[in-house]
């Protein structure tokens, strides 16, 4: 009898002992069929661990695998919450079968769980297009439109999200079960993102999203207090945050959001206490480092050694290190600062009495250079100690100054001849759609240049400039586009910033660099950015002037306001006194 036929009979009869013998004989002549029989055996036995192991061997060994088997493997990986592996397998199916909605569903779910917003949007949009092309039933199309709405919200394409919402509203009358809490969460976040808080409040009231019997989700419960905060309903927002914290006491993200809400309205002591939850949040962007030495809590450091270690982005590290004089006032015998390697040279110049080194060691336990330390503290936690001591972010900041002769040795003659020098930076390198509202384009920088008289010189402080940006700005004789790579060479970026009389910049590291060098800064931030700590003026450095804007502000109006204020700062076109 044919071995394959015999194996299928034994499989159907569940005679697995005899089946294994037949499979062994097939491995030489029909190895792929042998593996596929093994897959069926483990599936029938319900042994998920062995089934996954068999699928791994099968997919690794054979290339011409039926898509149905790949799809089963992807589904298994997805159910085991191995989303990265499931995504890779399902993507391969979708590459060859654009109408395989099962593969698309797995890809979308994996992308959401992995926070791959762009992948989620790409696949959702493909599902909508394919469903329309195949003239799928209305229920199917609505389902995929909902996924597209969620995808656009995830990547921060808020106007697009709201456009899809408008399209779907008539269909929800026929399919109310698809109007889920997560759909509301996406819509509310999008309305907040475009500054239409009034409509967000209306939806919360009309649909009873706060009602006890509403089938809510964690995502929706996280968005609602943010809406209240944006609406200036601080008491209502804090009450909503408290309800979320009571419901999810073990989750770090709600407490993190609560801390930022408190900080944004100036409740600093409470805010910074909750800010410490960041080390228990899995999605926090900094590594949780391990130390044998205790955390410093503000006690005297006389005769003691302490390590202050950087966290978050390079701009955040500099912001927090502006508080280092608070540590130095405690008279440590030895002060060590660990920062991103990009910052070492600058921080050494800023705090020459400190030992400054890189921050690449995560687990320091057992290493003598760390075990002998008396104390350690992440730099972001200095804020809590300072506020607990003074009630606000109030220390004697240390500034650096570039002498005129240093500028003369550094800048070209044609720029030194200008009456004033203005530094320009307009964006971050990390431009996600959700952050895009906070930045401007190089065209805005060009408009600033052309709006001011010829006796004003400019230095591009923008890091990671594109070739097109460089070409545009180099058209102007009074604009210096440095050759240095500011993304890697932060010290050079700082030095060029220090050469300026004024800097106009987005809320990037350039704000901190200008603050350190005492260069007056004109910047723009959302009205309720937590970094403002509920104050009217920028609390970290005295030389920062902030133009506040609403969410999704009109950039042309914002640019006009920046140019107006810049002209006042430079004493250009000031109205005559009568």
């Amino acid at each position: 009898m044919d071995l394959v036929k015999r194996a299928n009979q034994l499989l159907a009869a569940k005679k697995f002992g005899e089946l294994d013998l037949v499979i062994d004989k097939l491995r030489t002549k029909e190895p792929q069929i042998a593996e596929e029989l093994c897959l069926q055996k483990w599936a029938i036995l319900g042994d998920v661990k062995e089934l996954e192991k068999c699928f791994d061997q099968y997919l690794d060994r054979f290339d011409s695998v039926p898509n149905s088997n790949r799809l089963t493997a992807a589904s298994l990986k997805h159910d085991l919450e191995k989303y990265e592996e499931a995504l890779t397998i399902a993507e391969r199916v979708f590459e060859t079968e654009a109408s395989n909605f099962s593969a698309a569903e797995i890809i979308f779910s994996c992308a959401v769980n992995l926070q791959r917003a762009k992948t989620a949007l790409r696949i959702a949009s493909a599902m909508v297009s394919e469903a329309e092309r195949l003239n799928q039933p209305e229920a199917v199309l609505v389902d995929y439109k909902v996924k597209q709405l969620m995808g656009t919200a995830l990547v921060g394409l808020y106007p697009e999200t709201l456009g899809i919402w408008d399209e779907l509203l008539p269909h929800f009358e026929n399919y109310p079960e698809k109007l889920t809490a997560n759909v509301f969460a996406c819509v509310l976040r999008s309305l907040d993102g475009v500054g239409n808080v009034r409509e967000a409040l209306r939806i919360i009231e009309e649909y009873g999203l706060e009602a006890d019997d509403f089938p809510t989700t964690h995502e929706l419960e996280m968005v609602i207090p943010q809406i209240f905060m944006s609406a200036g309903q601080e008491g209502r927002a804090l009450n909503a945050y408290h309800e979320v914290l009571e419901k999810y006491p073990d989750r770090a993200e709600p407490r993190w959001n609560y801390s930022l809400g408190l900080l944004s309205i100036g409740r600093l002591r409470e805010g910074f206490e909750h800010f410490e939850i960041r080390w228990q949040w899995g999605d926090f962007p900094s590594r949780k480092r391990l130390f044998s030495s205790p955390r410093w809590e503000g006690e005297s450091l006389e005769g003691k050694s302490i390590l202050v270690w950087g966290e978050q982005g390079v701009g955040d590290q500099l912001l927090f290190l502006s508080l280092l004089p608070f540590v130095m006032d405690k008279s440590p015998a030895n002060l060590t600062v660990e920062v991103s390697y990009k910052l070492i040279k600058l921080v050494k110049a800023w705090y020459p009495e400190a030992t400054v080194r890189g921050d690449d060691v995560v687990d320091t336990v057992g290493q003598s250079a760390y075990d002998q330390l008396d104390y350690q503290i992440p730099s972001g936690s200095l804020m809590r100690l300072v506020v607990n001591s003074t009630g606000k972010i109030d220390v004697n900041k240390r500034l650096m100054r570039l002498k005129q002769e240093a500028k003369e040795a550094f800048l070209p003659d044609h720029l030194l001849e200008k009456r004033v020098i203005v530094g320009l930076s307009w964006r971050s390198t990390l431009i996600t759609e959700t952050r895009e509202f906070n930045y401007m384009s190089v065209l805005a920088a060009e408009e600033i240049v052309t709006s001011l008289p010829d006796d004003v010189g400019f230095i591009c402080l923008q890091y990671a400039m594109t070739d097109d940006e460089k070409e545009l700005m180099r058209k102007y004789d009074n604009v210096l586009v440095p050759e240095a790579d500011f993304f890697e060479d932060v010290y050079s970026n700082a030095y060029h910033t220090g050469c300026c009389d004024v800097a106009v910049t987005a809320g990037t590291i350039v704000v901190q660099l200008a603050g350190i060098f005492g260069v007056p800064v004109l910047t723009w931030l959302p009205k309720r950015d937590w970094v403002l700590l509920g104050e009217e003026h920028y609390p970290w450095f005295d030389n920062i002037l902030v133009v506040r804007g609403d969410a999704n502000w009109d950039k042309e109006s914002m640019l006009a306001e920046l140019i107006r204020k810049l002209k006042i700062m430079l004493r250009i076109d000031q109205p005559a006194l009568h």
Side-chain angles (χ1 to χ4, degrees), residues 10 124 133 142 194 243 307 321 353 492 545 568 572:
L10 293 170
R133 186 183 70 83
V142 168
V194 302
E243 291 179 7
L307 166 66
L321 285 178
E353 59 269 74
S492 182
L545 176 61
I568 293 173
I572 297 170

Side-chain angles (χ1 to χ4, degrees), residues 23-69:
I23 288 175
D24 286 340
K25 293 179 181 179
L26 280 170
R27 290 190 187 281
T28 302
K29 296 182 179 180
E30 299 287 351
Q32 184 165 342
I33 293 176
E35 289 295 337
E36 289 168 350
L37 288 165
C38 282
L39 289 172
Q40 294 178 68
K41 179 188 77 171
W42 294 122
I44 291 171
L45 288 170
D47 191 325
V48 174
K49 184 176 180 180
E50 287 297 330
L51 179 60
E52 182 192 17
K53 180 180 177 182
C54 192
F55 260 124
D56 288 343
Q57 295 171 346
Y58 175 64
L59 295 177
D60 183 60
R61 186 176 179 186
F62 304 107
D63 190 57
S64 57
V65 171
N67 276 344
S68 57
N69 288 351

Side-chain angles (χ1 to χ4, degrees), residues 421-424 461 497 500-505 510 514 519-523:
I421 297 175
V422 176
L424 297 174
L461 303 176
T497 303
C500 297
D501 299 296
V502 177
V504 181
T505 177
V510 176
V519 174
V521 173
L522 185 57
T523 188

Side-chain angles (χ1 to χ4, degrees), residues 512-562:
Q512 281 75 56
L513 296 178
I516 292 169
F517 278 89
V519 174
V521 173
L522 185 57
T523 188
W524 58 97
L525 287 172
K527 285 183 176 179
R528 292 189 174 272
D529 198 305
W530 79 266
V531 78
L532 295 172
L533 304 181
E535 297 188 21
E536 288 298 319
H537 302 289
Y538 194 78
W540 299 88
F541 294 100
D542 295 334
N543 54 315
I544 314 294
L545 176 61
V546 178
V547 178
R548 300 182 182 218
D550 293 310
N552 196 23
W553 49 50
D554 177 66
K555 291 188 177 181
E556 290 186 5
S557 299
M558 176 61 69
L559 179 58
E561 179 64 8
L562 289 169

